[in-house]
């Protein structure tokens, strides 16, 4: 087991290096820092001095890969854009954003609001979706099942932005139940988070219910379920004691991969509701074309994804003793 | 000299290519009974055909919107060099001329005869008054809007309903006649069969869907030429026109993305599974790396870079439409890059399985070359996976476009799309009285497009997926279910 974890962790390193090289190529080779400077400063009336100053402020004035002018071998490789901007990320040193703030500190501060929104959405969502799917599976092959699936497909076809805008209009503007947007720490946060959480759960209801329903139906047709019914167990007992337990394996293992992403928050929900989490941070960075922040978020995102994959593989062994990792 | 200059945008080329590919595939499938069989199952599915009818209408609009040209400017001297307008128009623009050309000043509500905002108007006696000015076009034919409005709208709507019904009856009779001709029965008999559901193809469902479409389209056309039935937006453009134009953008993103990524996904997926060894390792490393970057962020990073490129190379693009189109094409490519990994992984797994089967072992034993084995024996047997993933991907991509446009990395702001419509209308919710029509139109049209695509995709999946009946869960399958498809993933991550 420990050997497996170590091996998987080692396997993650080349992937992170790959991501790093890829983003480096995308941000510094496809368009040179000069291009970026010109775009930021506006295309017209831009002097070479202004470009040089812009690059110097951000540390983009160094050579890309190899600094032949620097003294000593370590400086030759170390005093370059690649080392300063890319290698440093491996120790979570992201440098400064365009507004001069330290990206690492910003990320730390914004993780909590993101988590405060994403965690309830995740937990409540899982419970609600499983309940609905179980209900639909209980009434399988009836009209309730049919129309339930139709409803799921219809809900899947609605843009997530509709749920947000519609929810804000209905609950905040018409009924004045909660504030439209904003955020506060502590107990007050519940007031601000209620609506985004509800919308987050409803927004993914269709897709999740339909997926979980197929999990349940797959189990329901198995031999051990037939045996349980043949013993004379009631349908409810069969469903809760046998089917639910076994269908939880795919549901939970599927959900585990999402856990690390809870830190990342969700882009549009956060920015619509003005929650100062990582999602809105990313959206703001994309809109203001802050390349340093986008690069850092790409790195963090891939890191969390790899952690998620590792957790998923481990969770298989925990919930299903038949699977052994070699 | 030509009265117009044909313009073929990058995406137009690809749209034509896609149509050609679909036509070629259809022709090929028709001649092979074993390939027709699963399509028969699709055709038998009620919900699938309902989706297909709606989708077909939207696709026709999208295709008409893909034939672009630049009209010639004014009549000049015969020897002068022809000058063409900077605006790129499409055949659809010509058909919807009444919608496009009748631009108001600013917002107006659906079916309104007056502008949304009050203006100061000079009165004939020299004084001034603050009131809602009449619209320049919407309902301009009414002498006295307060009294005539209801009667006029009712008259036009009824005309529309009547012509819709008439068209539908004609359609139904033609269908009955052709069915009767094919089955050598009387027309009345095939009418009875259709409505009793005794036909193989669910004609009743198809006809009812057509009826619904015609009953909406008829009044919409009859009223649309006199009023703005979905209102106008901030710069006075007809919202119905914008919504119809958005269909092409949605279709392009949904289809071209897969067209762009398909060759890579198929080639790499099959190679990885077929050859194994270090080739497999490299390809797996490649897609794991790409997959580990969150979709939205990868798209954002790449689109920002494209934007820098477009801004620093203005000489490459002669018109705004071309610039916007370049960005759209790039968006498709980037969305393709983020979504090819899941298909690649599926194909790799399936090829691994196929490789061990007897008929491929036999081909090896006979000394058949690798390329021939792959194209003759492997490829045809994984095509159902390709098809399923293409149709399942579509709706997720259409939804993702709106989200990406909101984040600011979607299509060019000058390009009409559901995303830009929503984005522009979003801030107007705060106005009093609320400007809701733009937003509602975008969501309704998007819903129709995505829902019909979802229904059709489900029918295709049910017909083609051999595992649909006895589907067993394996960890690999779990992961692919949990990971979902690329476009969907991007939408969900947001």
């Amino acid at each position: 087991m420990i050997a497996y974890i170590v091996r998987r962790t080692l396997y993650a390193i080349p992937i992170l290096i790959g991501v790093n090289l890829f983003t480096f190529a995308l941000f510094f080779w496809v368009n040179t820092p000069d291009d970026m400077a010109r775009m930021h400063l506006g295309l017209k009336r831009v002097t070479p001095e202004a470009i040089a100053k812009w690059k110097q402020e951000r540390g983009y004035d160094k050579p890309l890969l190899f600094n032949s002018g620097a003294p000593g071998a370590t400086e030759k490789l170390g005093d370059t854009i690649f080392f300063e901007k890319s290698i440093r990320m491996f120790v979570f040193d992201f440098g400064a954003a365009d507004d001069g703030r330290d990206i690492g500190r910003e990320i730390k501060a914004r993780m909590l609001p993101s988590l405060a929104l994403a965690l309830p959405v995740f937990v409540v969502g899982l419970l609600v979706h499983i309940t609905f799917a179980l209900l639909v599976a209980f009434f399988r092959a009836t009209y309730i099942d049919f129309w339930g699936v139709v409803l799921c497909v219809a809900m899947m076809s609605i843009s997530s932005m509709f749920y947000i805008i519609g929810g804000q209009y209905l609950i905040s503007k018409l009924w004045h139940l909660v504030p439209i947007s904003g955020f506060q720490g502590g107990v007050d946060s519940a007031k601000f988070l209620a609506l985004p959480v509800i919308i987050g759960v409803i927004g993914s209801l269709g897709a999740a219910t339909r997926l979980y329903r197929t999990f349940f139906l797959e189990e329901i047709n198995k031999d051990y379920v037939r045996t349980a019914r043949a013993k004379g167990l009631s349908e409810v007992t069969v469903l809760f004691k046998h089917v639910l337990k076994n269908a939880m394996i795919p549901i939970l293992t599927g959900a585990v991969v999402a856990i690390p992403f809870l830190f990342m928050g969700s882009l549009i929900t956060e920015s619509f509701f003005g929650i100062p989490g990582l999602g809105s941070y990313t959206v703001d960075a994309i809109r203001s074309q802050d390349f340093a922040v986008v690069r850092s978020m790409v790195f963090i995102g891939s890191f969390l994804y790899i952690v998620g994959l590792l957790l998923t593989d481990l969770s298989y062994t925990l919930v299903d003793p038949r699977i052994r990792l070699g | 000299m030509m009265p117009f200059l044909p313009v073929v945008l990058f995406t137009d080329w690809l749209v034509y290519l896609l149509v050609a590919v679909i036509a070629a595939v259809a022709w090929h499938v028709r001649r092979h009974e074993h390939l027709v069989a699963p399509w028969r199952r699709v055709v038998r599915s009620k919900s699938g055909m309902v989706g297909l009818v709606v989708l077909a209408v939207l696709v026709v609009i999208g295709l008409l919107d893909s034939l672009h040209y630049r009209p010639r400017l004014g009549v000049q001297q015969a020897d002068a060099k022809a000058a063409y307008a900077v605006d790129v128009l499409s055949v659809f623009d010509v058909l919807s001329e009444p919608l496009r050309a009748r631009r108001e000043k600013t917002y107006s509500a659906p079916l309104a005869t007056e502008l949304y905002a009050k203006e100061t108007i000079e009165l004939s006696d020299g004084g001034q008054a603050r009131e809602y000015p009449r619209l320049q076009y919407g309902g301009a034919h009414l002498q006295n809007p307060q009294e005539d409005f209801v009667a006029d709208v009712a008259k036009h709507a009824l005309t529309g309903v009547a012509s819709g019904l008439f068209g539908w009856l004609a359609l139904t009779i033609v269908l009955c006649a052709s069915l009767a001709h094919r089955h050598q029965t009387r027309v009345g008999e095939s009418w009875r069969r259709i409505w009793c559901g005794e036909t193989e193809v669910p004609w009743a469902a198809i006809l009812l869907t057509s009826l619904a479409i015609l009953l909406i389209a008829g009044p919409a056309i009859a009223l649309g030429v006199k009023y703005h039935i979905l209102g106008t937006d901030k710069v006075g453009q007809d919202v119905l026109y914008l919504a119809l134009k958005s269909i092409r953008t949605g279709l392009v993103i949904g289809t071209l993305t897969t067209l762009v990524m398909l060759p890579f996904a198929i080639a790499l997926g099959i190679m990885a599974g077929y050859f194994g060894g270090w080739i497999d390792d490299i390809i797996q490393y490649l897609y794991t790396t790409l997959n580990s970057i969150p979709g939205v962020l990868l798209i954002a990073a790449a689109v920002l870079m494209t934007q820098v490129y477009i801004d620093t190379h203005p000489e490459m693009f002669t018109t705004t439409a071309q610039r916007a189109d370049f960005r759209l094409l790039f968006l498709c490519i980037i969305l393709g890059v983020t979504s090819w990994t899941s298909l690649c992984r599926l194909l790799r797994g399936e090829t691994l399985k196929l490789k061990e089967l007897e008929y491929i072992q036999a081909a090896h034993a006979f000394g058949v070359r690798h390329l021939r084995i792959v194209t003759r024996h492997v490829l045809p047997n994984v095509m159902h996976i390709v098809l399923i993933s293409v149709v399942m991907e579509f709706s997720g991509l259409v939804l993702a476009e709106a989200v990406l446009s909101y984040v600011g990395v979607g299509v060019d702001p000058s390009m009409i799309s559901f995303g830009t419509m929503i984005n522009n209308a979003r801030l107007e919710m705060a106005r009093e009285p609320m400007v809701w029509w733009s937003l509602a139109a975008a969501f309704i049209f998007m819903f129709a497009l995505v829902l019909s695509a979802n229904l059709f995709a489900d029918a295709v999946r049910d017909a083609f997926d051999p595992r649909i009946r006895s589907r067993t869960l394996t960890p690999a399958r779990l992961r692919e279910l949990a990971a979902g498809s690329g476009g969907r993933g991007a939408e969900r991550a947001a």
Side-chain angles (χ1 to χ4, degrees):
Chain A
M1 187 70 177
I2 291 172
Y4 177 78
I5 296 175
V6 170
R7 209 155 40 105
R8 280 302 305 262
T9 318
L10 288 179
Y11 183 60
I13 292 172
I15 293 177
L16 274 181
I17 293 176
V19 170
N20 207 309
L21 286 177
F22 182 80
T23 43
F24 177 75
L26 197 65
F27 279 90
F28 293 107
W29 269 343
V30 176
N31 292 292
T32 60
D34 282 28
D35 287 337
M36 284 193 260
R38 222 165 284 145
M39 170 147 167
H40 254 258
L41 298 168
L43 286 172
K44 284 156 200 133
R45 296 183 291 116
V46 61
T47 58
E49 292 81 42
I51 291 180
K53 185 162 166 283
W54 188 89
K55 276 161 62 182
Q56 203 234 328
E57 277 168 5
R58 287 163 181 75
Y60 291 161
D61 55 342
K62 292 169 184 157
L64 275 183
L65 287 174
F66 186 73
N67 192 349
S68 51
T74 45
E75 278 85 13
K76 270 190 172 38
L77 287 174
D79 200 20
T80 57
I81 291 183
F82 181 64
F83 183 83
E84 289 287 322
K85 302 289 168 197
S86 281
I87 304 285
R88 286 260 174 106
M89 282 196 183
F90 285 104
V91 290
F92 297 102
D93 173 7
F94 299 111
D98 275 354
D99 58 5
R101 289 195 215 165
D102 184 55
I103 298 177
R105 193 176 308 144
E106 197 83 348
I107 287 176
K108 245 181 248 160
R110 282 165 176 271
M111 243 177 206
L112 222 62
S114 273
L115 202 63
L117 171 59
L119 197 65
V121 172
F122 181 76
V123 176
V124 176
L126 212 55
L127 289 177
V128 171
H129 299 160
I130 290 174
T131 315
F132 269 86
L134 208 58
L135 220 75
V136 176
F138 182 78
F139 291 106
R140 65 192 170 281
T142 63
Y143 274 105
I144 296 177
D145 180 31
F146 176 78
W147 287 110
V149 174
V150 169
L151 191 69
C152 284
V153 176
M155 287 184 78
M156 278 167 70
S157 309
I158 296 172
S159 169
S160 52
M161 298 171 79
F162 177 78
Y163 290 111
I164 295 176
I165 296 176
Q168 277 185 331
Y169 175 71
L170 203 67
I171 297 179
S172 299
K173 209 174 162 194
L174 277 191
W175 297 343
H176 298 288
L177 290 180
V178 288
I180 284 191
S181 69
F183 186 73
Q184 250 173 6
V187 189
D188 282 343
S189 65
K191 189 171 67 182
F192 290 99
L193 288 176
L195 184 57
V197 169
I198 292 171
I199 288 171
V201 170
I202 293 177
S204 53
L205 185 67
T209 305
R210 204 167 80 128
L211 180 66
Y212 294 167
R213 173 183 165 271
T214 58
F215 289 159
F216 287 128
L217 290 189
E218 241 153 77
E219 289 298 320
I220 275 178
N221 292 326
K222 285 197 174 150
D223 287 343
Y224 73 90
V225 179
R226 197 188 311 149
T227 314
R229 278 205 207 99
K231 284 200 302 198
L233 296 183
S234 70
E235 186 65 26
V236 175
T237 324
V238 170
L239 218 52
F240 277 92
K241 280 232 151 147
H242 298 271
V243 176
L244 179 62
K245 247 186 195 168
N246 282 291
M248 281 311 277
I249 295 174
I251 292 173
L252 282 183
T253 45
V256 164
V257 78
I259 289 177
F261 277 107
L262 299 181
F263 291 100
M264 286 277 280
S266 86
L267 293 183
I268 58 167
T269 317
E270 279 183 18
S271 88
F272 262 103
F273 288 99
I275 291 164
L278 283 180
S280 55
Y281 188 49
T282 315
V283 172
D284 292 344
I286 292 171
R287 288 207 176 132
S288 62
Q289 304 186 320
D290 190 331
F291 300 104
V293 176
V294 175
R295 239 166 354 102
S296 315
M297 295 310 291
V298 167
F299 186 79
I300 298 228
S302 345
F303 177 77
L304 293 176
Y305 176 80
I306 291 167
V307 173
L309 276 190
L310 185 64
L311 288 179
T312 315
D313 282 355
L314 291 180
S315 64
Y316 285 141
T317 56
L318 294 180
V319 294
D320 192 345
R322 285 171 302 181
I323 297 174
R324 286 219 183 83
L325 299 170
Chain B
M1 261 194 296
M2 275 200 291
F4 62 88
L5 176 75
V7 177
V8 183
L9 303 171
F10 296 119
T11 50
D12 290 342
W13 279 117
L14 289 172
V15 168
Y16 305 154
L17 179 69
L18 188 69
V19 172
V21 168
I22 291 174
V25 169
W27 185 72
H28 178 78
V29 166
R30 263 196 94 80
R31 306 191 330 157
H32 294 83
E33 184 53 36
H34 68 283
L35 296 176
V36 177
W39 285 109
R40 288 236 166 82
R41 287 201 288 276
V42 176
V43 167
R44 266 182 232 139
S45 146
K46 254 185 213 159
S47 59
M49 293 320 280
V50 169
L52 187 63
V53 171
V54 180
L55 209 54
V57 173
L58 299 176
V59 166
V60 167
I61 294 174
L63 283 178
L64 286 176
D65 206 8
S66 293
L67 299 164
H68 288 103
Y69 71 97
R70 281 161 72 181
R72 218 171 112 200
L73 286 178
V75 187
Q76 286 142 351
Q77 282 132 350
D79 57 333
K81 221 175 125 221
Y84 296 100
V86 195
D87 292 344
V88 177
L89 294 180
S90 74
V91 173
F92 175 76
D93 288 331
V94 178
L95 293 178
S96 60
E97 184 75 26
L99 293 181
R100 185 175 61 87
R102 298 182 312 140
R103 272 178 103 140
E104 306 294 346
K105 218 164 174 185
T106 181
Y107 293 111
S108 65
L111 290 177
T113 55
E114 288 159 347
L115 221 50
Y116 164 83
K118 272 186 183 169
E119 264 182 22
T120 311
I121 296 174
E122 302 274 338
L123 294 176
S124 50
D125 57 12
Q128 287 182 331
R130 296 276 300 165
E131 55 181 47
Y132 297 106
R134 282 289 296 274
L135 287 183
Q136 212 176 337
Y137 300 100
H141 60 292
L142 297 179
Q143 292 296 327
N144 197 348
Q146 271 84 22
E147 289 160 23
D148 308 341
F149 177 73
V150 176
D152 189 64
V153 166
K155 193 186 85 187
H156 280 104
L158 277 178
T159 329
V161 168
S163 45
L165 268 179
F166 182 75
W168 182 74
L169 273 177
L171 189 79
T172 313
I173 289 167
V174 169
L175 177 74
C176 285
S178 74
L179 279 183
H181 179 74
R182 194 194 292 169
H183 297 298
Q184 300 295 321
T185 53
R186 285 179 300 112
V187 177
E189 172 65 13
S190 55
W191 167 273
R192 190 195 64 79
R193 272 203 202 159
I194 287 173
W195 295 112
C196 295
E198 291 170 17
T199 49
E200 192 191 10
V201 179
W203 287 116
I206 294 175
L207 283 175
L208 284 177
T209 318
S210 322
L211 178 66
I213 293 173
L214 285 169
L215 282 186
I216 295 170
I221 293 170
L223 284 169
V225 294
K226 296 285 181 197
Y227 298 89
H228 300 287
I229 48 172
L230 293 176
T232 54
D233 75 347
K234 190 171 189 169
V235 290
Q237 271 185 308
D238 192 288
V239 171
L240 177 65
Y241 171 73
L242 294 178
L244 290 171
K245 284 286 272 187
S246 303
I247 292 170
R248 176 182 185 264
T249 317
L251 287 172
V252 161
I253 287 186
T255 54
L256 291 196
T257 299
T258 36
L259 184 74
V260 170
M261 65 106 173
L262 220 47
F264 298 98
I266 294 177
L268 292 178
I270 291 182
M271 260 165 69
Y274 184 78
F275 292 113
W278 61 272
I279 298 181
D280 188 19
D281 288 341
I282 289 180
I283 294 174
Q284 275 202 66
Y285 171 71
L286 200 69
Y287 71 61
T288 318
T289 306
L290 275 180
N291 214 17
S292 69
I293 304 175
V296 185
L297 285 171
L298 181 63
I299 295 162
V303 168
L304 284 184
M305 289 301 123
T306 319
Q307 198 51 47
V308 174
Y309 184 83
I310 292 174
D311 285 351
T312 46
H313 298 78
E315 70 282 355
M316 274 180 64
F317 313 101
T318 42
T319 57
T320 1
Q322 271 166 332
R323 222 182 55 197
D325 185 67
F326 182 76
R327 182 159 163 179
L328 175 66
L329 177 68
F330 232 86
L331 186 66
C332 289
I333 294 175
I334 296 155
L335 278 167
V337 168
T338 55
S339 62
W340 70 284
T341 50
S342 57
L343 177 60
C344 190
R345 192 166 45 198
L346 287 178
L347 289 177
R348 174 181 168 272
E350 190 69 15
T351 314
L352 271 177
K353 244 187 287 165
L354 288 176
K355 196 171 69 166
E356 302 303 324
L357 293 184
E358 281 89 352
Y359 66 93
I360 289 182
Q361 299 284 331
H364 271 300
F366 282 128
V368 182
R369 286 185 187 186
H370 288 312
L371 186 66
R372 199 162 166 76
I373 293 182
V374 167
T375 51
R376 290 232 27 139
H377 300 297
V378 179
L379 192 59
N381 287 305
V382 297
M383 276 325 261
H384 67 279
I385 297 181
V386 175
L387 183 76
I388 292 171
S389 90
V390 166
V391 292
M392 299 295 282
E393 200 102 311
F394 178 87
S395 51
L397 289 167
V398 176
L399 290 175
E401 187 270 330
V403 171
L404 291 175
S405 290
Y406 168 75
V407 178
V409 292
V411 296
D412 194 83
S414 70
M415 177 160 250
I416 303 170
S417 80
F418 294 125
T420 44
M421 275 179 82
I422 294 172
N423 215 6
N424 293 336
R426 177 173 63 86
L427 298 169
E428 309 303 338
M429 295 284 289
R431 278 171 183 261
E432 210 53 58
M434 197 170 64
V435 178
W436 51 270
W437 44 90
S438 223
L439 210 56
F443 280 131
I444 290 170
F445 273 78
M446 200 152 100
F447 178 66
L449 177 60
V450 173
L451 181 63
S452 58
N454 269 337
L455 290 175
F456 180 64
D458 280 354
V460 169
R461 191 200 49 196
D462 290 350
F464 278 85
D465 195 345
R467 294 172 304 179
I468 207 77
R469 284 200 182 77
S470 60
R471 208 196 278 159
T472 47
L473 282 173
T474 57
R477 179 154 165 70
L478 281 181
R479 207 179 296 166
E480 97 201 20
L481 283 171
S485 49
R488 234 174 261 283
E491 154 91 356
R492 206 182 39 199

